[in-house]
Amino acid sequence: MKHWVAPSILAANFGNLQADVEMVNRSQADCLHVDIMDGRFVPNISFGFPVLKSLQQHSSKPLDVHLMIIEPEKYIQQFADLGASILTVHYETCTHLHRTIHQIKDFGMQAGVALNPHTPIGLLSAILHDIDLVCLMSVNPGFGGQKFIPYTYHKVRQLKALANEYQPNLRIEIDGGVNLENAPKLLKAGANVLVAGSSVFKSANPTQSILDLKNCF
Ligand code: DX5
Ligand code: ZN
């Protein structure tokens, strides 16, 4: 399964989002990663529905929406209506994760579960066969531009082993501090979706940076 590259719009130029979305449209990116933060689950607020709506209008790539919000189950239909292809909720925010996952799927989206750096992989064993994607946070969620946590490699290997058992088609996404240096090692460990904010949008040539991540192995 060839890996995906998902540029994270959080690192784009919010003064001219359309230009950055169009750059992603023309690039080899597989989807557009969209971070929604509520100032409750994470100590930062990113943006909400009006911005997502305009991302949807301009993006030709599928939207990979990462919810860093409490009570995500309240907004599932709205995210479906705004064109999310993948909707990822945090394990740490869902008391009834099984129900939430199935609500996401019932609205026709792929369901993802994100884990904070301290959350053990084993907690997913009973739900893995219901999930399309697991997002392993390789930084503490809330901000772009943070340093990659190396223990993530170990978690990727653990998740890959669990996926072989319960969900061979699982997308294993890594989010936070991903760059050309750690990407090959992450792919080797079993990752197949690379989220990249700063290493794409803050680079001299974002289109080329996306291509470089795509050509990594
Ligand atoms: C962090 C977000 C990430 C972030 C990644 O909470 O979930 O998606 O945008 O940005 P970089 O690649 O700069 O760490
Ligand atoms: Zn994210």
Side-chain angles (χ1 to χ4, degrees):
M1 174 157 50
K2 178 70 181 163
H3 68 273
W4 290 349
V5 173
S8 176
I9 202 71
L10 190 67
N13 173 10
F14 278 61
N16 192 353
L17 265 185
Q18 186 176 343
D20 280 346
V21 173
E22 284 169 357
M23 178 282 291
V24 173
N25 289 346
R26 291 189 304 268
S27 78
Q28 293 300 307
D30 298 274
C31 47
L32 184 66
H33 186 83
V34 181
D35 289 309
I36 308 286
M37 304 176 182
D38 66 353
R40 303 285 309 281
F41 176 58
V42 290
N44 195 12
I45 297 174
S46 56
F47 50 80
F49 296 123
V51 174
L52 182 58
K53 187 169 184 185
S54 107
L55 291 175
Q56 181 210 14
Q57 282 163 352
H58 295 291
S59 178
S60 63
K61 305 279 179 176
L63 301 181
D64 167 34
V65 179
H66 175 195
L67 298 185
M68 285 159 274
I69 65 174
I70 60 169
E71 301 181 328
E73 65 280 358
K74 285 186 176 172
Y75 307 100
I76 292 171
Q77 175 159 17
Q78 270 160 291
F79 284 107
D81 291 346
L82 287 172
S85 293
I86 305 169
L87 193 65
T88 297
V89 294
H90 264 263
Y91 177 89
E92 300 82 6
T93 64
C94 293
T95 310
H96 302 288
L97 183 61
H98 181 273
R99 178 185 291 146
T100 304
I101 290 302
H102 284 278
Q103 284 169 340
I104 293 172
K105 291 180 148 187
D106 288 347
F107 278 106
M109 298 176 285
Q110 293 186 51
V113 175
L115 297 185
N116 275 343
H118 72 276
T119 304
I121 295 296
L123 291 172
L124 292 177
S125 60
I127 190 92
L128 209 58
H129 61 280
D130 286 313
I131 304 176
D132 299 294
L133 175 148
V134 171
C135 173
L136 294 182
M137 292 308 302
S138 39
V139 299
N140 286 291
F143 302 93
Q146 301 181 82
K147 201 167 165 286
F148 178 85
I149 299 171
Y151 188 73
T152 310
Y153 298 123
H154 181 64
K155 289 182 80 176
V156 179
R157 282 190 291 270
Q158 283 185 316
L159 180 56
K160 180 66 183 163
L162 209 61
N164 285 343
E165 201 175 337
Y166 294 105
Q167 169 59 297
N169 297 322
L170 186 75
R171 284 279 162 193
I172 299 178
E173 175 175 76
I174 313 301
D175 187 7
V178 173
N179 55 37
L180 275 176
E181 204 178 308
N182 51 34
K185 213 169 149 185
L186 286 166
L187 297 172
K188 202 165 166 222
N192 51 27
V193 184
L194 302 172
V195 174
S198 310
S199 69
V200 165
F201 289 99
K202 311 293 185 210
S203 73
N205 185 342
T207 314
Q208 184 63 40
S209 301
I210 292 168
L211 185 61
D212 291 344
L213 283 168
K214 189 71 193 171
N215 289 336
C216 263
F217 60 88

